[in-house]
């Protein structure tokens, strides 16, 4: 039986731009269908088999997200275990329409909490670099005054991503949602690293222009 471990603030948005990317990605996804529905039904029945089934289906996915942020296997495993507890504690009352995105969001926020703790030790300069790339795209979420405005920003980013080239959208999400390295993205899309950098740079600039028109750049 999967052991439950307690965590805190797993759904609290982190004060960095990646939070808005996660919200936008969730909005872009639809329902996974019956398999996830069955897992969610187990949560509602308070049947701990739900956690075992979630682990079987999504452990590798969540571990990848956590490890790209933390670059530490043990910390990533702890994040994933806490993610499953987070799902157990929030379903019900929440009913995710896309379980993978729901779990991904919890994993990222837990990993980002750990990243904040370790940042002074510079345990993952790669992830700091990813965040630096986005600094000019949006004012700090610390300046966002309400949950409503956060949702509006996420909606705007979602709309932007839906309008751009599909490959460019996927490259952008691999970098800023999954925190993939430039080399991994280049391999995945069969392009050079310089081409990957170029696509990301142009997409960030387009996003900056789009958000400026929407009134979100300070």
């Amino acid at each position: 039986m999967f052991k439950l471990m307690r965590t805190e603030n797993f759904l609290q948005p982190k004060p960095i731009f990646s939070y808005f990317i996660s919200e936008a990605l969730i909005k872009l996804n639809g329902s996974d269908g019956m398999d996830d529905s069955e897992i969610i039904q187990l949560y509602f029945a308070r049947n701990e088999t739900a956690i075992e089934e979630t682990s079987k289906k999504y452990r590798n996915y969540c571990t990848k997200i956590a490890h790209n942020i933390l670059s530490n296997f043990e910390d990533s495993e702890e994040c994933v275990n806490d993610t499953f507890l987070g799902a157990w504690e929030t379903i019900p009352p929440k009913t995710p329409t896309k379980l993978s995105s729901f779990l991904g969001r919890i994993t990222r926020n837990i990993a980002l909490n750990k990243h904040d703790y370790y940042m002074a030790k510079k345990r993952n300069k790669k992830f700091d670099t990813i965040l630096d790339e986005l600094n000019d795209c949006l004012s700090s979420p610390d300046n966002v005054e309400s949950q409503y405005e956060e949702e509006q920003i996420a909606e705007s980013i979602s709309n932007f991503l839906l309008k751009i080239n599909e490959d460019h959208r996927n490259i952008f999400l691999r970098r800023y949602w999954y925190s993939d390295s430039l080399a991994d993205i280049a391999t995945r899309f069969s392009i050079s690293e310089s081409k990957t950098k170029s696509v990301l740079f142009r997409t960030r600039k387009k996003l900056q222009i789009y958000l400026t028109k929407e009134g979100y750049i300070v």
Side-chain angles (χ1 to χ4, degrees), residues 10-117:
F10 44 78
L11 283 177
Q12 293 300 312
K14 296 303 298 168
I16 59 171
F17 182 83
S18 295
Y19 165 66
F20 297 115
I21 295 296
S22 71
E23 293 298 297
L25 182 59
I26 290 170
K27 290 177 181 292
L28 285 168
N29 284 310
S31 174
D32 243 358
M34 198 62 188
D35 289 343
D36 281 356
S37 296
E38 291 176 352
I39 294 175
I40 291 170
Q41 286 174 11
L42 291 173
Y43 281 105
F44 272 83
R46 308 316 291 158
N47 184 334
E48 290 190 7
T49 303
I51 299 177
E52 296 180 12
E53 294 302 318
T54 302
S55 179
K56 289 177 185 177
K57 187 170 184 180
Y58 289 114
R59 176 169 289 278
N60 289 341
Y61 163 79
C62 292
T63 300
K64 172 70 171 176
I65 293 172
H67 193 269
N68 279 350
I69 294 172
L70 297 170
S71 293
N72 181 282
F73 180 76
E74 291 183 0
D75 287 344
S76 299
E77 281 291 296
E78 182 179 343
C79 282
V80 173
N81 290 338
D82 288 349
T83 293
F84 299 150
L85 173 59
W88 178 258
E89 292 182 337
T90 54
I91 309 172
K94 292 184 179 293
T95 307
T97 58
K98 179 78 171 179
L99 188 56
S100 60
S101 294
F102 181 80
L103 295 170
R105 176 182 174 182
I106 297 175
T107 304
R108 282 184 61 83
N109 286 338
I110 293 172
L112 290 170
N113 276 327
K114 286 185 176 292
H115 176 263
D116 285 349
Y117 177 78

Side-chain angles (χ1 to χ4, degrees), residues 162-179:
L162 285 170
K163 292 176 181 178
I164 65 176
N165 174 279
E166 182 178 0
D167 283 344
H168 292 183
R169 175 171 66 245
N170 290 332
I171 289 170
F172 188 83
L173 291 173
R174 291 309 309 185
R175 182 64 168 169
Y176 302 119
W177 167 259
Y178 295 100
S179 306

